[in-house]
Amino acid sequence: YLYTTSVDMWSVGCIFAELLLGRVLFPGKDEREQVHLIYKALGTPNAQTWPKHRDLPLAAETMPSKALPPVLRPKYARKMKRYEGALELVERLLQLDPEARTSAEVARGQSYFLLAPRPPADLAELGPLPEESLHEYQTKMKRKAERKAEAERKAAQQRAAEAEATEKAKGAKAAEVVG
């Protein structure tokens, strides 16, 4: 299987969708989960949507037990509504079949890029970038730090509960000795 620019266009579609949604589109933890999330959003490939899919190595192993319908449009139509033409562009960029996926040349002629608001002539008009990045690595690191802080908080609570139980036991023992 040869590398083509359709792989790059898939990446552009994912990044574009992530920019519009403000979150990772397919946040799989490994390759299998990633493929499952893609099928869950775009539907499972079939002879009409991706004729050569069955020729791929491991194609049978990655297919869900039952066919999944595409849900990208109903799931994200409301969120992308304010960006006219954006959902159509995302759908064209995220075609499962690489041969059906839109090219950069065709994509730049899509309505999303032709409608207002047009980018300002002076990019300074856009203002400063947000402090917090949407970069996937930073997001993962933030979640990892949150999980670590939560684990430390629970461990501290556990230690406090154990210390309190020890103190109660010492108090009870002292009361027995005195009594």
Side-chain angles (χ1 to χ4, degrees), residues 5-77:
T5 56
S6 65
V7 174
D8 297 324
M9 297 313 295
W10 175 271
S11 299
V12 168
C14 290
I15 293 167
F16 182 57
E18 290 169 11
L19 288 169
L20 295 169
L21 298 172
R23 68 173 196 79
V24 178
L25 187 60
F26 305 121
K29 293 179 185 89
D30 57 39
E31 196 170 308
R32 285 192 184 273
E33 185 179 4
Q34 193 82 27
V35 170
H36 176 73
L37 291 171
I38 291 168
Y39 290 166
K40 194 173 171 183
L42 304 177
T44 47
N46 57 46
Q48 290 77 38
T49 61
W50 190 358
K52 296 180 181 177
H53 173 261
R54 295 266 179 224
D55 299 339
L56 296 173
L58 306 176
E61 292 179 34
T62 61
M63 288 294 284
S65 56
K66 69 176 198 170
L68 300 171
V71 297
L72 185 77
R73 177 169 285 278
K75 185 173 182 178
Y76 296 116

Side-chain angles (χ1 to χ4, degrees), residues 127-146:
L129 292 174
E131 294 270 335
E132 196 169 299
S133 172
L134 296 177
H135 190 273
E136 187 175 353
Y137 173 76
Q138 290 173 331
T139 302
K140 284 181 180 180
M141 296 309 290
K142 181 180 176 183
R143 287 185 186 143
K144 183 178 179 181
E146 288 169 353

Side-chain angles (χ1 to χ4, degrees), residues 95 106 148 167 169 177:
Q95 286 292 313
V106 172
K148 183 180 178 183
E167 288 301 316
V177 170

